[in-house]
Amino acid sequence: MREPLDPALFTACADHMPFPVRVGDKWTAKILVCLRDGPRRFSELQVPLARVTPKVLTESLRAMERDGMITRTVYDEMPPRVEYELTPLGHTLFEPLAASCAWNAEHGEAVARAREEHAQRV
């Protein structure tokens, strides 16, 4: 018989409320890469992220701002200009993203095969 799971298994992470990193969602990592070289306007982000709806892009940007990964600056111009820029905290995510990309390059095909096999069984 296996040992039961320790109720304090995640105690070390408990100080941070819900896990703060949103890089695992569909768009956050791509937005980070778009902002790597400096501030961008919403319309600039839409070019490489053409498959994301404006609503979802807005929601992602707001969540990233809330989490301290980006800043949103509104310029008092006509028409108003808004730019998004990575914070120092946002820049720290490139190392884990690189590790994730490397893992995906090495194991992505195996994951795709596993998904196909699972779909055939279900």
Side-chain angles (χ1 to χ4, degrees), residues 62-71 85-91:
R62 285 180 182 160
M64 293 172 72
E65 182 182 14
R66 179 200 68 221
D67 292 345
M69 292 183 208
I70 64 170
T71 58
E85 185 172 14
L86 288 177
T87 64
L89 180 64
H91 278 282

Side-chain angles (χ1 to χ4, degrees), residues 14-90:
D15 295 338
H16 302 292
M17 304 262 273
F19 195 64
V21 179
R22 294 179 35 87
V23 179
D25 72 0
K26 188 170 184 175
W27 301 109
T28 301
K30 292 177 180 179
I31 293 169
L32 287 168
V33 172
C34 290
L35 296 175
R36 172 180 257 159
D37 295 326
R40 298 287 181 173
R41 296 178 74 166
F42 189 90
S43 59
E44 290 178 284
L45 296 172
Q46 286 182 301
V47 174
L49 302 173
R51 293 186 6 236
V52 64
T53 65
K55 177 183 184 261
V56 171
L57 180 55
T58 298
E59 289 170 353
S60 296
L61 290 166
R62 285 180 182 160
M64 293 172 72
E65 182 182 14
R66 179 200 68 221
D67 292 345
M69 292 183 208
I70 64 170
T71 58
R72 179 180 183 269
T73 305
V74 180
Y75 295 91
D76 189 21
E77 300 175 355
M78 274 307 195
R81 179 170 53 107
V82 178
E83 289 184 339
Y84 299 91
E85 185 172 14
L86 288 177
T87 64
L89 180 64

Side-chain angles (χ1 to χ4, degrees), residues 75-116:
Y75 295 91
D76 189 21
E77 300 175 355
M78 274 307 195
R81 179 170 53 107
V82 178
E83 289 184 339
Y84 299 91
E85 185 172 14
L86 288 177
T87 64
L89 180 64
H91 278 282
T92 67
L93 290 166
F94 287 108
E95 187 175 340
L97 279 176
S100 176
C101 288
W103 186 91
N104 191 52
E106 186 173 340
H107 302 288
E109 289 180 21
V111 171
R113 281 193 306 277
R115 287 178 179 173
E116 288 174 23

